[in-house]
Amino acid sequence: MTVTDSNRKINQKKLNAMLKAVQNYYPEYDISWVSGLEPWVGLRPLSADGLPYIGAFSQYPNLIAATGHAMLGISLSPITGKLICDIVSGNELDFDMRMLSPNRF
Ligand SMILES: Cc1cc2nc3c(=O)[nH]c(=O)nc-3n(C[C@H](O)[C@H](O)[C@H](O)COP(=O)(O)OP(=O)(O)OC[C@H]3O[C@@H](n4cnc5c(N)ncnc54)[C@H](O)[C@@H]3O)c2cc1C
């Protein structure tokens, strides 16, 4: 994917929807303080196939990756932590890790 101006445009409709969602969930929370802030936009870091990198690097086996979780890093942190624990401990994995290998490209 290439970075274009449209990736970096502030979508006012989405911004308004986010603010509205905060008000809906927390009606007693006063969000008027955001009105003076300058909104900004950024790109989410993703791997080329959208899957995380979990496992040892072939060139440096004592270097282990656990990153690239895109939009789901918080949700996936328990299983990532378990996998990393098993890898570091040398436990046998009951999961084919090739699709998550940091060496797959
Ligand atoms: C606004 C927002 C809301 C979110 N809400 C949720 C949610 O509700 N639930 C959920 O599950 N997830 C959510 N996420 C996603 C979650 O935060 C990420 O999936 C998680 O932080 C990814 O963790 P990571 O360690 O895989 O990658 P990152 O946190 O992106 O860490 C990658 C690190 O690698 C570094 N890096 C990148 N390239 C290089 C390089 N070439 N050399 C050296 N270092 C490099 C970066 O600087 C960064 O420190 C949200 C994210 C955002 C932005």
Side-chain angles (χ1 to χ4, degrees):
M1 190 189 97
T2 52
V3 176
T4 63
D5 280 347
S6 63
N7 299 129
R8 296 187 178 277
K9 250 195 220 146
I10 305 266
N11 183 330
Q12 194 59 46
K13 218 170 153 182
K14 277 189 182 172
L15 192 56
N16 293 342
M18 281 191 266
L19 292 173
K20 199 169 163 215
V22 174
Q23 283 175 317
N24 286 345
Y25 279 110
Y26 305 104
E28 66 287 348
Y29 182 69
D30 179 14
I31 59 164
S32 59
W33 61 271
V34 302
S35 62
L37 300 178
E38 185 73 30
W40 61 272
V41 64
L43 298 175
R44 286 178 185 263
L46 295 170
S47 63
D49 58 7
L51 294 173
Y53 298 110
I54 300 173
F57 288 84
S58 51
Q59 272 183 293
Y60 307 100
N62 61 343
L63 177 62
I64 296 169
T67 190
H69 291 82
M71 281 71 78
L72 292 173
I74 298 167
S75 311
L76 293 173
S77 58
I79 183 64
T80 296
K82 162 105 177 53
L83 290 169
I84 292 300
C85 180
D86 284 341
I87 292 166
V88 171
S89 306
N91 297 339
E92 200 170 311
L93 299 168
D94 52 2
F95 184 81
D96 183 356
M97 294 295 290
R98 280 175 298 185
M99 66 196 293
L100 303 178
S101 167
N103 313 299
R104 65 184 183 270
F105 297 112

